[in-house]
Amino acid sequence: MSSYDFPDARGHFGPYGGVYVAETLMAALDELNAEYARAKADPAFWQEYHYELKHFVGRPSPIYHAKRWSEQLGGAQIYFKREDLNHTGAHKVNNTIGQALLARRMGKKRVIAETGAGQHGVASATVAARYGMECVVYMGSEDVKRQAPNVFRMKLLGATVVPVESGSKTLKDALNEAMRDWVTNIDSTFYILGTAAGPHPYPMLVRDFQRIIGIEAKEQMQEMVGRQPDMVVACVGGGSNAIGIFHPYVEVEGVRLVGVEAGGDGVATGRHAAPLSAGKPGVLHGFRSYLMQDENGQIIETHSVSAGLDYPGVGPEHSLLKDIGRAEYVAINDDEALKAFEDCCHLEGIIPALESSHALAYAAKIAPTMAKDQIILVNLSGRGDKDINTVAGLMGLTL
Amino acid sequence: MSRIAETFTRLQAAGEKALIPFITAGDPNPGLTVSLMHGLVEGGADVIELGIPFSDPMADGPVIQRASERALLHKVGLRNVLGMVREFRRSNQQTPVVLMGYLNPVHVLGYEVFAQEAAAAGVDGVLTVDCPPEEAAELSAALIAAKLDPVFLIAPTTPLARVKQIAALARGYVYYVSLKGVTGAGNLDIDDVARKIAALREFLDVPIGVGFGIRDAETARAISTAADAVVVGSRLVQEIEAATPETAKEQLTRLVASLKDAIR
């Protein structure tokens, strides 16, 4: 696999990715691409990025051996990459710092972002406060309801949260609205896209800023257990935490990469958010990738207990990794994710995000089929404090 | 010569500017679309832009988003849209029809299949908003093979190098986006548009249509002094939205006539 080098100069990951946007955005994307090429070659840029990750975010995030859970499951040893311990509570901040530093280089004083679960919105509001920028976050009105604590966190950080009422009122509609804002305010505004999707260069940009997860994990596993895991598992909505941990492992032989999509009520019911498991290639939000769509090419509404996975598309690099067989993609249903959420709380003393609970659920499912000396590394992409209202609601409680 | 080229040649000879109204196919219901298209022609439409409904119209403002949503309530797909054009062609062989929409419904049908079926239905041009020249090679080739005109956007932000690239690919006409924003926005600067169009002329062989944010006869007239064609969309869709299915055609015809008068 030594030939893995994507995307190409125009942002294609094999047949996926690309730049499918209206002409008005093309110049801004070219400008961003050119600035990132300069920043990428500038050691001072990366020096500041790493300084911020260390002193503001608290990196490196540790690796943790989930001993009790592994023992109870009776198979492979499960380890967590603790992205939940980052400042703001998820992996999202790795990317927002990188993009905010780019925005600053480009002299943009206003940043916008879309958010589903609110983690990317919080991470964007956080860096905007940190660097003194105006911040507007678009969020589907359904998500505003189910992620109320994060909405308030964004407001505390000085951001304006705009509820989006169009379409299904979730993440995809927030993305549409952010694009509309960007096209209107293109001179003053930097769009901090939260996942490894969207038009080129975003999938590459977000991956490069999230790769730190996998780079650290490789060093830490070597240090901790003297070898690399047999399997790396991460949840996939747009796919930023997954590509962040997968990418440094793509050329490492013997490491299985498993992306876990949101199965919602079950893939067979059609009520899910698993385009790699049950969709087909199409074009949405500026890129070509697997999509949840009907026979007319209309985007289908998605269903997941986790707002962060409730997205009908997936980052283009995951579509490529699926097609070339380097990564496998599976789906975990809402009830399985909730069971893993509870087990993680009880057995490990960690409240995981509902998104990450999908990855945990797959690890818990597959571990008993593996040998006790095998290792599964799960990207615990975020903490679950934001989800307590949702989980309480499912238990029939109000807080 | 294509129906679009013929139309512009005829208008130029008469010293007239083209009026290009836009409506979304299937809005407010699929049964009404063909009648509304005829209504547009009765009012003075020179070319019709017919919108393909899409669930995620990223480049459109709220008015055209709602039109898509109304059409999608009736499950109007791309093949239904082609059926409407076919029906329109039964009694109108003169007025060019340009399909305007987003790439995914076309992508899912397959570019060659789409191009052949569209040509057979009587479509003349296709504008996919989210398919810039960089990604358009395959679709453009299929369209040109089927004798359809690929129509491209040029924006106020488009640098000169890209204008030249677009000029090499464009057929029929180019659509100049008159403002930085979405369809139906309110920040149109007429003097700026006139300057930009004058500059574009040097590089373009095809006529230049201007749209986004043209809301009244006065603006249409001002734009038409510089452009070859004036595209009006959101304002017409608003008229459909405000009308009943019974009055929609009459109201639309009257509005189009007033716009055509203004640019004549």
Side-chain angles (χ1 to χ4, degrees):
Chain A
M1 303 267 334
S2 60
S3 61
Y4 189 89
D5 181 18
F6 296 97
D8 68 14
R10 283 163 147 197
H12 295 105
F13 297 84
Y16 302 110
V19 190
Y20 294 90
V21 296
E23 181 60 29
T24 318
L25 286 176
M26 288 302 298
L29 289 166
D30 284 345
E31 187 193 357
L32 175 58
N33 204 17
E35 187 61 41
Y36 180 57
R38 283 190 289 272
K40 203 172 174 177
D42 179 358
F45 176 79
W46 293 107
Q47 205 176 354
E48 185 170 14
Y49 168 75
H50 287 294
Y51 182 92
E52 294 291 281
L53 289 187
K54 183 175 177 187
H55 296 281
F56 188 61
V57 178
R59 298 201 77 90
S61 66
I63 298 258
Y64 166 79
H65 185 190
K67 268 190 201 151
R68 291 190 66 215
W69 203 0
S70 302
E71 220 161 273
Q72 198 206 55
L73 292 165
Q77 301 305 305
I78 298 174
Y79 287 74
F80 298 161
K81 176 64 174 161
R82 297 290 309 274
E83 292 299 299
D84 62 312
L85 292 177
N86 292 338
H87 177 43
T88 74
H91 72 289
K92 292 292 186 189
V93 71
N94 304 330
N95 168 50
T96 59
I97 284 184
Q99 290 199 38
L101 292 176
L102 269 182
R104 207 181 55 188
R105 279 177 76 103
M106 294 170 82
K108 309 277 185 180
K109 296 277 197 294
R110 178 177 183 267
V111 296
I112 57 171
E114 85 297 338
T115 198
Q119 290 304 101
H120 174 59
V122 168
S124 298
T126 299
V127 298
R130 165 84 183 82
Y131 301 117
M133 297 163 173
E134 183 195 345
C135 181
V136 177
V137 180
Y138 291 92
M139 188 169 187
S141 60
E142 276 299 315
D143 293 337
V144 168
K145 270 185 262 169
R146 46 182 181 173
Q147 304 287 342
N150 268 348
V151 175
F152 190 60
R153 288 168 78 196
M154 288 182 257
K155 288 180 182 165
L156 285 176
L157 292 160
T160 306
V161 180
V162 182
V164 176
E165 301 288 350
S166 59
S168 58
K169 307 178 175 64
T170 60
L171 180 54
K172 80 172 175 75
D173 310 287
L175 219 152
N176 289 335
E177 212 53 41
M179 288 276 188
R180 289 178 188 126
D181 179 314
W182 198 29
V183 86
T184 307
N185 301 295
I186 205 139
D187 299 326
S188 67
T189 298
F190 187 101
Y191 180 15
I192 302 185
L193 214 153
T195 193
H200 180 64
Y202 282 107
M204 172 180 77
L205 210 65
V206 176
R207 177 198 70 196
D208 290 355
F209 293 139
Q210 292 294 359
R211 283 183 82 241
I212 187 71
I213 305 171
I215 291 168
E216 284 177 4
K218 268 169 84 176
E219 279 176 25
Q220 291 166 316
M221 290 306 292
Q222 197 59 42
E223 207 172 286
M224 201 168 170
V225 297
R227 68 179 185 94
Q228 296 306 324
D230 300 280
M231 182 186 282
V232 175
V233 181
C235 65
V236 178
S240 68
N241 89 81
I243 207 66
I245 197 164
F246 286 179
H247 194 258
Y249 278 108
V250 165
E251 292 186 292
V252 180
E253 275 177 40
V255 180
R256 278 173 72 185
L257 306 176
V258 182
V260 184
E261 296 190 297
D265 292 345
V267 169
T269 66
R271 291 172 52 82
H272 58 84
L276 288 165
S277 306
K280 55 183 179 180
V283 175
L284 178 70
H285 291 153
F287 65 106
R288 185 172 188 275
S289 195
Y290 281 85
L291 275 185
M292 305 237 329
Q293 53 184 323
D294 69 12
E295 69 284 2
N296 288 324
Q298 308 298 344
I299 307 309
I300 297 176
E301 283 193 22
T302 51
H303 297 273
S304 171
V305 68
S306 115
L309 302 183
D310 216 347
Y311 181 65
V314 62
E317 193 159 12
H318 288 293
S319 292
L320 175 68
L321 290 172
K322 173 191 159 83
D323 282 7
I324 65 174
R326 181 59 190 95
E328 307 151 58
Y329 294 89
V330 298
I332 282 290
N333 300 348
D334 285 353
D335 53 353
E336 297 171 300
L338 285 162
K339 169 77 168 51
F341 176 93
E342 285 176 22
D343 287 348
C344 189
C345 292
H346 293 160
L347 294 166
E348 299 297 344
I350 296 170
I351 302 177
L354 282 174
E355 291 76 18
S356 321
S357 299
H358 287 71
L360 294 172
Y362 181 74
K365 201 174 183 173
I366 199 79
T369 69
M370 293 166 69
K372 285 190 178 176
D373 61 351
Q374 288 192 295
I375 293 174
I376 302 173
L377 175 63
V378 179
N379 196 12
L380 187 56
S381 56
R383 68 180 184 220
D385 306 50
K386 69 181 175 61
D387 293 313
I388 56 174
N389 287 313
T390 304
V391 175
L394 291 165
M395 292 171 164
L397 307 169
T398 27
L399 300 181
Chain B
M1 197 189 283
S2 80
R3 201 151 24 205
I4 295 174
E6 270 173 29
T7 300
F8 278 103
T9 306
R10 175 174 52 78
L11 289 170
Q12 267 153 12
E16 268 187 59
K17 299 301 173 75
L19 178 65
I20 310 184
F22 167 98
I23 59 172
T24 298
D27 173 34
N29 67 66
L32 209 56
T33 300
V34 174
S35 147
L36 293 183
M37 290 169 78
H38 288 302
L40 297 174
V41 176
E42 286 161 31
D46 298 298
V47 177
I48 293 173
E49 281 187 359
L50 189 62
I52 306 164
F54 186 52
S55 52
D56 292 79
M58 239 165 50
D60 284 299
V63 172
I64 292 177
Q65 287 177 50
R66 286 197 300 269
S68 254
E69 285 173 13
R70 284 191 294 270
L72 290 175
L73 283 178
H74 299 279
K75 306 232 177 291
V76 174
L78 182 47
R79 282 217 163 92
N80 303 118
V81 178
L82 296 179
M84 293 171 194
V85 177
R86 205 176 303 121
E87 197 186 327
F88 173 74
R89 279 279 170 257
R90 279 190 205 141
S91 49
N92 182 317
Q93 283 83 46
Q94 292 78 47
T95 311
V97 174
V98 174
L99 296 186
M100 183 169 180
Y102 294 80
L103 188 60
N104 201 50
V106 176
H107 182 273
V108 80
L109 208 57
Y111 297 151
E112 278 185 23
V113 172
F114 163 73
Q116 284 157 13
E117 290 188 20
V123 170
D124 301 285
V126 177
L127 198 182
T128 42
V129 178
D130 56 349
C131 191
E134 282 80 353
E135 305 288 352
E138 204 187 324
L139 174 59
S140 287
L143 293 175
I144 288 167
K147 298 194 164 50
L148 296 175
D149 290 333
V151 177
F152 286 94
L153 298 172
I154 292 180
T157 50
T158 305
L160 183 57
R162 288 185 58 80
V163 170
K164 290 177 181 168
Q165 189 187 358
I166 294 166
L169 298 168
R171 308 272 179 108
Y173 60 99
V174 296
Y175 188 135
Y176 180 73
V177 176
S178 55
L179 49 82
K180 293 172 192 166
V182 293
T183 53
N187 52 340
L188 179 60
D189 177 343
I190 291 170
D191 292 338
D192 183 57
V193 172
R195 273 194 302 274
K196 288 277 172 51
I197 290 177
L200 287 176
R201 294 261 181 227
E202 200 183 323
F203 306 99
L204 290 166
D205 298 328
V206 291
I208 303 173
V210 175
F212 278 42
I214 300 172
R215 313 188 56 78
D216 52 48
E218 182 51 34
T219 316
R221 193 199 56 72
I223 292 289
S224 73
T225 59
D228 302 302
V230 177
V231 187
V232 182
S234 296
R235 177 66 190 87
L236 299 184
V237 172
Q238 272 176 335
E239 196 71 12
I240 294 173
E241 201 166 39
T244 65
E246 291 73 32
T247 62
K249 183 184 176 188
E250 192 193 326
Q251 280 180 240
L252 210 52
T253 305
R254 200 181 313 136
L255 179 57
V256 169
S258 72
L259 292 165
K260 181 68 186 177
D261 279 346
I263 68 168
R264 221 181 274 273

